[in-house]
Amino acid sequence: GESVGLHLPTLSVQEGDNSIINCAYSNSASDYFIWYKQESGKGPQFIIDIRSNMDKRQGQRVTVLLNKTVKHLSLQIAATQPGDSAVYFCAENRNTGGFKTIFGAGTRLFVKA
Amino acid sequence: GAGVSQSPSNKVTEKGKDVELRCDPISGHTALYWYRQSLGQGLEFLIYFQGNSAPDKSGLPSDRFSAERTGGSVSTLTIQRTQQEDSAVYLCASSLEKGRNQPQHFGDGTRLSIL
């Protein structure tokens, strides 16, 4: 079936190191991708997005890479900080055959001080 | 500016009772979504509203679940005859417009516990 999934359910990194969170999607009709961060007891918070006509987009300490050939999305966090500890979700928007947003299962990031 | 507001933040009720969950979207956002999140799980789509169009109810798990959106703003999710498996966090999100590749902005959810 169609899905957005994550390769790693948990990721543990040392403070100051870079983090890479991966996501695979299965539907080539998806044309917009979003990364969300969810802290305990909070709703998901928008981090960064990318459209399918791009392969890279940078924000403050975060970079999203899109590889449409292998249907792969990644979130890179530079100089990871304890405040980055959270669950990260990728999501895809599909605008053909009816609009739909599909969320991945999530990856929990632990930052060790 | 104000974000998406949900109330109550926590709700504990007995099995069989009805519950109403409220969502105030960001002002000017025409699209509104309800999701359910079980402990340690991802987001399960429930229902979606866009302007005056008929809502997309394809994610509602049973006919005990219903939702309304009055005046294109505030939305209420109602669960009738609650069951223990309804226990979860119910999240509401809004966005500027559906299908225009806008991110969804989430509230902090209502944590529902069915005894």
Side-chain angles (χ1 to χ4, degrees):
Chain A
E2 299 169 347
S3 66
V4 174
L6 295 170
H7 296 308
L8 299 173
T10 60
L11 177 64
S12 184
V13 299
Q14 197 69 39
E15 180 180 1
D17 287 352
N18 296 334
S19 302
I20 300 176
I21 302 172
N22 296 302
C23 181
Y25 64 97
S26 58
N27 195 297
S28 57
S30 296
D31 56 6
Y32 176 63
F33 304 87
I34 316 103
W35 281 101
Y36 292 93
K37 172 186 180 184
Q38 187 176 26
E39 296 175 287
S40 181
K42 300 286 189 180
Q45 176 186 9
F46 168 77
I47 302 172
I48 192 168
D49 57 2
I50 188 168
R51 288 166 170 70
S52 58
N53 61 352
M54 304 170 67
D55 54 19
K56 180 179 180 179
R57 189 163 188 224
Q58 287 184 294
Q60 185 177 11
R61 284 202 306 119
V62 294
T63 300
V64 55
L65 299 178
L66 176 62
N67 186 329
K68 294 181 288 292
T69 302
V70 296
K71 298 188 182 69
H72 185 266
L73 189 70
S74 69
L75 176 70
Q76 300 179 359
I77 304 173
T80 313
Q81 302 169 0
D84 295 327
S85 294
V87 176
Y88 290 81
F89 293 96
C90 62
E92 60 176 313
N93 276 11
R94 202 172 308 161
N95 288 302
T96 56
F99 172 79
K100 194 168 187 177
T101 298
I102 300 175
F103 285 83
T107 291
R108 183 174 296 280
L109 176 65
F110 291 102
V111 181
K112 298 176 287 187
Chain B
V4 175
S5 177
Q6 291 188 247
S7 61
S9 55
N10 287 283
K11 177 72 175 178
V12 181
T13 192
E14 294 179 345
K15 176 183 173 181
K17 300 286 187 183
D18 297 351
V19 294
E20 283 190 354
L21 312 179
R22 177 187 168 104
C23 173
D24 283 89
I26 293 173
S27 178
H29 281 194
T30 59
L32 187 146
Y33 311 77
W34 283 98
Y35 296 90
R36 179 168 70 177
Q37 186 175 35
S38 299
L39 185 63
Q41 302 295 313
L43 277 67
E44 175 189 3
F45 167 76
L46 297 176
I47 189 170
Y48 158 80
F49 296 89
Q50 169 60 49
N52 296 322
S53 302
D56 176 356
K57 304 179 182 180
S58 60
L60 295 178
S62 78
D63 59 7
R64 296 187 295 106
F65 288 72
S66 62
E68 292 183 342
R69 188 177 186 191
T70 55
S73 180
V74 172
S75 177
T76 302
L77 176 69
T78 301
I79 309 173
Q80 295 178 311
R81 304 181 303 282
T82 52
Q83 303 295 314
Q84 288 187 330
E85 61 263 29
D86 299 335
S87 296
V89 176
Y90 289 82
L91 291 161
C92 176
S94 68
S95 66
L96 277 171
E97 187 176 352
K98 159 192 160 178
R100 286 297 184 92
N101 294 332
Q102 297 289 335
Q104 295 174 30
H105 299 269
F106 286 83
D108 286 337
T110 293
R111 185 175 300 277
L112 179 63
S113 299
I114 309 300
L115 303 179

